[in-house]
């Protein structure tokens, strides 16, 4: 029996990546599209998926790991929509429903970070770990947690970038850049928040610049708060900021110092880099497509 | 068919409450024991359960909602133990195993707050709510989250009192009383932290004292952080501090102000008082006993 083929979409605010995927190590073809208007970008993705299906064979399901916020409640009239986003033109966009109707296929739909968290927990750095958290720290900060194989959510998906953390003693004046919450984690430690204070990225600053320890301190506070709330078996840190050389080591050391041995997981054992690299997004689509195919309809 | 009878234990650092319980509205008998040494208190509880079983009929299972930290991993050699507690004499105490062996019964075992969270989500203020969080704010601060009917946990149970939060601008000097983390949530907003600053409890302070808004501000930060991480359908706030008149309203208003409409759940809709009152602990034992009976062995 041949493996089912899935159409996978990693939908970001800057670009979409679409792929025909049979397994985590079996990506048949991919394509990229700039994120323009919904009609242009969703239309181009659909055209490509149709053509790819003609070439590679029938797809079994679609998986979409999307920028947000999105509506996840399958009983809501606007399930599958991108909801109140700051991305111009994309608020209240029917996305998953449109793709599913156009192709006549079931669609798994979740946030980009929940998709990446699922993929990392299934095939990457989080394999076999109870409560696997994936956080990306770049232009924004977002995260997802996988518990018992499923994304953790209540009324909606997490918005982990918006947790509140203490201010670093050497960083009391900067107001923070989050348009909603000023000095939440994203307002203090995202890429734009770093540029707003120091004029360049963490990687461009000298390695002895205090920005490194300040940003590591903020991210370590997030880790300790996650430990307090769910004792994750791993915290996978992705994104451009986290890729700064030596930052992960600084975060680990700082988080262990903050935890003072109180938590079961030693921070330096649970904080890891992504295992799937830049494939986590597309493979998030794969995980979501697999799961929707396995869901009784 | 008669309903199965359960032996339920709410094990606190000050007192144990044991009960013979057939359902949330069917508590047949209870007894209280001061928490002395493990041998004395576990022994007295066992003697009482045996006598109660003679009187009320055979028990089907035992449920223990215990102070912690405890070992929850049923594959660990020290499953069912109270581990490294600050309570003198109780570190590394075999608790659930001893009870189970002595009575020849299956034992459900979890933290007191996970038990209360389970009971509240099953029969109390959290019924039907996705991701139900219960937090008690009193001598200490602890919490549990119920997701898909089960306590949220990774490597171990949560220690929600130890999340990190910003400092209130009018409370920058107080060092915090947590022996591990100084100014974590428990170090700043627990009952002893309130007494350490202001010499009395929040209920004893005048209602226009700034302590009310400072403590509400801290607890509201916890709520917003919980919303960021899991968008709980309800956050049930129990414990002596939270019972201060008007404090719940202050917390709701503050949390909505902090959230700025960003989260799906309006804080004033999701923050609620416990529905089971002081029965949450014992009924936590009931929920744990029911669940262990339903678990395939």
């Amino acid at each position: 029996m041949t493996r089912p083929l899935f159409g996978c979409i990693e939908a970001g605010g800057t670009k979409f990546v679409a792929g025909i995927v049979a397994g985590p190590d079996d990506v048949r073809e991919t394509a990229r599209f700039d994120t323009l208007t919904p009609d242009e970008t969703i239309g181009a993705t659909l055209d490509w998926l149709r053509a790819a299906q003609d070439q590679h064979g029938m797809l079994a399901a679609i998986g979409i790991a999307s920028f947000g916020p999105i509506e996840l409640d399958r009983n809501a009239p606007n399930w599958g929509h991108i909801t109140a986003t700051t991305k111009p033109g994309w608020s209240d966009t029917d996305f998953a429903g449109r793709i599913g109707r156009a192709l006549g296929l079931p669609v798994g739909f979740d946030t980009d970070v929940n998709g990446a968290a699922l993929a990392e927990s299934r095939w990457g750095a989080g394999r076999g770990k109870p409560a696997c958290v994936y956080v990306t720290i770049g232009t924004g900060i977002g995260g997802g947690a996988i518990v018992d194989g499923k994304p953790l959510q209540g009324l909606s998906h997490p918005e982990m970038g918006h947790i509140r953390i203490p201010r670093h003693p050497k960083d009391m004046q900067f107001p923070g850049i989050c348009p909603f919450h000023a000095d939440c984690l994203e307002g203090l430690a995202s890429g734009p928040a770093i540029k707003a204070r120091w004029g360049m990225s963490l990687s461009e600053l000298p390695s002895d610049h205090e920005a490194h320890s300040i940003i590591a301190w903020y991210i370590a506070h997030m880790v300790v708060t996650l430990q307090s709330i769910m004792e994750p078996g791993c915290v996978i840190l992705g994104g451009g900021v986290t890729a700064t050389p030596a930052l992960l080591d600084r975060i680990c050391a700082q988080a262990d110092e903050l935890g003072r041995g109180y938590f079961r997981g030693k921070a330096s054992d649970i904080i890891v880099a992504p295992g799937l690299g830049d494939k986590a997004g597309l493979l998030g689509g794969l995980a979501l497509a697999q799961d929707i195919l396995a869901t009784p309809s």
Side-chain angles (χ1 to χ4, degrees), chain A:
Chain A
M1 185 186 145
T2 53
R3 301 168 92 176
L5 273 186
F6 298 101
C8 304
I9 303 171
E10 176 188 5
T14 308
K15 66 173 198 295
F16 275 37
V17 178
I20 304 298
V21 186
D25 298 313
D26 192 358
V27 177
R28 303 281 168 91
E29 192 183 349
T30 61
R32 286 169 182 248
F33 307 96
D34 290 337
T35 308
L36 307 171
T37 66
D39 274 347
E40 289 171 294
T41 312
I42 296 176
T45 304
L46 266 175
D47 289 345
W48 184 84
L49 283 170
R50 283 198 192 93
Q53 187 167 235
D54 288 343
Q55 187 193 335
H56 294 278
M58 284 298 290
L59 301 177
I62 303 291
I64 304 176
S66 176
F67 71 100
I70 62 178
E71 179 55 64
L72 294 178
D73 179 359
R74 290 202 167 247
N75 297 316
N78 64 334
W79 169 80
H81 282 53
I82 292 174
T83 56
T85 177
T86 51
K87 174 117 189 119
W90 283 80
S91 277
D92 300 314
T93 292
D94 180 11
F95 183 7
R98 180 169 170 188
I99 297 273
R101 287 190 304 274
L103 298 172
L105 289 171
V107 179
F109 183 62
D110 213 317
T111 62
D112 44 8
V113 282
N114 272 347
L118 261 184
E120 286 285 350
S121 78
R122 204 163 287 180
W123 305 298
R127 244 189 308 185
K129 304 286 187 184
C132 163
V133 179
Y134 173 90
V135 182
T136 179
I137 303 166
T139 310
I141 298 181
I146 306 302
V147 179
D148 291 337
K150 291 197 307 190
L152 174 65
Q153 62 169 85
L155 299 170
S156 185
H157 52 78
E159 291 283 356
M160 291 196 193
H162 299 273
I163 64 167
R164 302 305 172 95
I165 48 171
R167 295 299 294 260
H168 190 285
K170 292 185 180 167
D171 188 41
M172 298 302 283
Q173 303 310 318
F174 178 62
I177 61 149
C178 173
F180 294 94
H181 313 119
D183 66 349
C184 62
L185 180 66
E186 181 169 294
L188 292 173
S190 62
I194 293 166
K195 283 215 173 116
R197 297 216 234 2
W198 297 295
M200 57 189 86
S201 74
L202 219 45
S203 299
E204 292 161 339
L205 288 162
S207 65
D208 60 351
H209 192 285
E210 68 177 14
H212 293 274
S213 57
I214 291 172
I215 296 303
W217 192 89
Y218 286 133
I219 299 170
H221 275 77
M222 174 196 73
V223 171
V224 170
T225 285
L226 287 166
Q227 289 183 290
S228 306
I229 290 175
M230 68 182 90
E231 285 268 18
C234 72
V235 178
I236 303 166
L237 297 180
V241 170
T242 330
T244 307
L247 191 70
L248 225 52
D249 290 340
R250 290 179 199 259
I251 296 167
C252 288
Q254 187 65 65
D256 273 329
E257 192 181 318
L258 286 169
R260 301 218 167 265
Y262 195 78
F263 303 106
R264 186 69 62 92
K266 202 161 168 282
S268 41
D269 291 333
I270 66 168
I271 296 173
V272 291
L276 301 173
D278 60 5
K279 280 170 68 184
L282 191 68
L283 296 185
L286 174 63
L288 294 166
Q290 287 180 336
D291 287 356
I292 198 68
L293 199 63
T295 303
S297 58

